[in-house]
Amino acid sequence: MEQMFPPKLARKGALPKVTQKNRMLNFVDRVHAHKTPDITCILTDFVEGALPKVTQKNRVLNFVDRVHAHKTPDITCILTDFVEGVGIRGDTVTVKRRLFRGKLFPAGQAVYATDENVEKFTREKQEKGIKEEAKPLGVYGEMTVKQLAGMYLKVPMSGDNSWVLTPKNVRVALRKAGVEVKESCITLPQEAITGPEEFNFRITVNGVKSVMVKGRVVLRHNDPSKDERIELPPTWLPTTKIKKTKQSAESLGDS
């Protein structure tokens, strides 16, 4: 569709001459239709007056619909790999068309939910013994495992009394860090921990998958001046967004 201003206004300088192209498909309906001919026939030569005359009245159109104004529906696809925030392999999910066509499908992480693909992944689940109603670990479980793997937990303990580290102490430290875990899901090392030291412990997620988490016991005294003054890593790994530069893009292209 080309939109141009009248030549007189453009010459006067009131409006600039602009040509604007819009990729839109519009459906219109003629308000006053042409008069239907009495007899329908095929002309073999030009006959003056045989075709209906188009008048100004016949050029009045009524807008019906615009195709490109409608919101495109989402796409139902099957994931072929774990996608953070979306699902795991074999999940049938509905995602935005931009996400599917721009990322998932080109990277081979998802396919169209055709009858052949549905049958293929259903057969794969049956061979592995995975029931549809009881999945081993969902997408949020995978995200939790990934988040806990980069955690460095600080467990505060008394510096004035003797003690032995228990799962309850670790659970309280996790709760202060924003993580709710049952004591039965925490597995400490076999050797008893009775002093300030680093240690590794396991957390079981959904009773299926366990992740190793790093931690350190930090002593706290009644007299704050006796507390340890050491620099420890942050509790959570910082997330940074890597900006793509032209040089990095060229290096990736060469590789």
Side-chain angles (χ1 to χ4, degrees), residues 104-239:
L104 300 181
F105 186 72
Q109 295 178 321
V111 294
Y112 287 95
T114 59
D115 296 338
E116 294 80 4
N117 291 331
V118 172
E119 183 180 356
K120 172 184 174 182
F121 283 94
T122 303
R123 193 184 314 113
E124 178 182 322
K125 291 180 181 179
Q126 292 176 354
E127 292 175 356
K128 293 183 179 180
I130 301 175
K131 295 183 179 180
E132 197 66 32
E133 61 275 6
K135 296 181 181 178
L137 193 63
V139 56
Y140 293 106
E142 292 286 353
M143 294 173 62
T144 303
V145 169
K146 182 179 178 181
Q147 190 76 6
L148 291 175
M151 185 180 188
Y152 190 88
L153 182 65
K154 304 175 185 65
V155 183
M157 298 297 293
S158 174
D160 301 320
N161 303 316
S162 59
W163 46 264
V164 177
L165 189 67
T166 61
K168 182 178 181 180
N169 303 130
V170 178
R171 182 181 66 85
V172 173
L174 286 170
R175 186 182 62 193
K176 291 182 178 179
V179 181
E180 287 289 345
V181 181
K182 295 181 179 180
E183 293 184 26
S184 58
C185 299
I186 301 173
T187 305
L188 294 178
Q190 295 181 356
E191 297 181 0
I193 301 174
T194 58
E197 59 178 284
E198 288 189 346
F199 65 97
N200 296 330
F201 65 97
R202 287 188 175 275
I203 297 178
T204 305
V205 181
N206 292 347
V208 176
K209 194 171 183 179
S210 60
V211 56
M212 187 70 73
V213 183
K214 295 182 179 181
R216 179 182 172 85
V217 175
V218 181
L219 297 181
R220 292 290 181 262
H221 300 78
N222 293 330
D223 185 4
S225 61
K226 296 181 181 180
D227 292 345
E228 295 180 306
R229 297 289 188 270
I230 57 175
E231 185 176 355
L232 298 176
T235 304
W236 302 104
L237 290 177
T239 56

